[in-house]
Amino acid sequence: EAFSTDGDSLFVLGFTPAENPTEYQVNKLDLATGEIDGVYGQDSPDERQERMGGTARTQVWDAEGGVVYTLYSQEVDGRPTSFIHVLDLDEGWAFCLDLPRAIGWSSPAALAVSPDGSRLWASDAVGHGAVVDTEALEVLDAGRFPSPGPYGLSAISDGDRLYLGSGDRITVLDGDDLSRVARWRTTRPIIALRLHPADERLVAVTDGQLTTFPLRSPERDPAGRDLPFTQPIVVTDPTLVDAECAC
């Protein structure tokens, strides 16, 4: 799953029963001794975290690399549910946060953490989302928004807004209530989104191109058109040698 921040331990998932696993449990492997110990709850250091069911949908780390968040979904009593598994790689505890509605059950999903690590967003391509306070470990808000697209989903946040990339579109949501603020378009399907905090730009990574968007400008220009993006930068993989098609 992940290494501890001090590099002395490795967090691993154990699946049970071995021949037909239906549950998992997080364990901690001491890399020096080879001994395996359990992972305990945040508020119950003497109580090992119980086994849990579910299928992992997506995962994200905070900016400092000290906490990893994983979105799981499962069916409980015939009803789809979702939860976020929180694993602190510094203090070594784990916590499961139930979400009020299923996210990522039948469509691609994505997680995003604010730069200061205080908030987490879960969203899916259908238009379901939740805002989480990572310090209190509670859901601040949950709701629906216009579907960002039926394709793969990527997400990132500057702390105030949530940016979702799907297909060739970027959906901008308010970070508090998940209402849609704007929608931008790229020239190619989006692979990932990145933030350039130095000059407040959003970078859309597409197949062989990088396209940037200003974050602090009005969402639309006076003519009512979408904000113009920069001319795409063509990116060449330096590890690839020149080749000619033999067809």
Side-chain angles (χ1 to χ4, degrees), residues 79-95:
R79 181 174 61 90
T81 63
S82 296
F83 66 91
I84 295 175
H85 186 266
V86 184
L87 178 61
D88 190 299
L89 306 178
D90 182 27
E91 300 178 3
W93 53 262
F95 182 85

Side-chain angles (χ1 to χ4, degrees), residues 77-119:
D77 298 329
R79 181 174 61 90
T81 63
S82 296
F83 66 91
I84 295 175
H85 186 266
V86 184
L87 178 61
D88 190 299
L89 306 178
D90 182 27
E91 300 178 3
W93 53 262
F95 182 85
C96 284
L97 176 64
D98 291 326
L99 298 178
R101 68 190 317 160
I103 295 177
W105 175 257
S106 59
S107 68
L111 297 174
V113 185
S114 61
D116 64 3
S118 64
R119 286 200 291 178

Side-chain angles (χ1 to χ4, degrees), residues 6 19 33-34 38 47 50 53 59 91 116 128 152 169 171 174 182 185 194-195 197 210 221 227 237 241 246:
D6 59 15
E19 295 182 356
T33 66
E47 183 178 345
E50 61 183 10
Q59 188 178 78
E91 300 178 3
D116 64 3
H128 298 150
R169 295 172 182 262
T171 300
D174 182 272
R185 185 187 294 272
R194 295 291 184 267
L195 284 175
L210 299 178
D221 68 12
L227 272 176
D237 189 337
V241 299

Side-chain angles (χ1 to χ4, degrees), residues 86-211:
V86 184
L87 178 61
D88 190 299
L89 306 178
D90 182 27
E91 300 178 3
W93 53 262
F95 182 85
C96 284
L97 176 64
D98 291 326
L99 298 178
R101 68 190 317 160
I103 295 177
W105 175 257
S106 59
S107 68
L111 297 174
V113 185
S114 61
D116 64 3
S118 64
R119 286 200 291 178
L120 169 75
W121 290 267
S123 57
D124 64 22
V126 175
H128 298 150
V131 186
V132 174
D133 183 327
T134 59
E135 297 177 359
L137 292 176
E138 62 181 20
V139 177
L140 298 176
D141 196 6
R144 297 205 62 175
F145 49 87
S147 170
Y151 307 103
L153 193 68
S154 57
I156 199 164
S157 174
D158 61 359
D160 297 321
R161 294 178 177 178
L162 177 65
Y163 303 90
L164 301 177
S166 180
D168 63 352
R169 295 172 182 262
I170 297 173
T171 300
V172 186
L173 302 179
D174 182 272
D176 292 324
D177 61 12
L178 300 177
S179 60
R180 192 170 78 178
V181 176
R183 203 169 196 187
W184 302 332
R185 185 187 294 272
T186 63
T187 58
R188 297 183 180 183
I190 297 168
I191 298 174
L193 297 175
R194 295 291 184 267
L195 284 175
H196 195 289
D199 53 5
E200 298 184 332
R201 288 184 297 167
L202 176 71
V203 181
V205 182
T206 62
D207 183 13
Q209 290 185 349
L210 299 178
T211 304

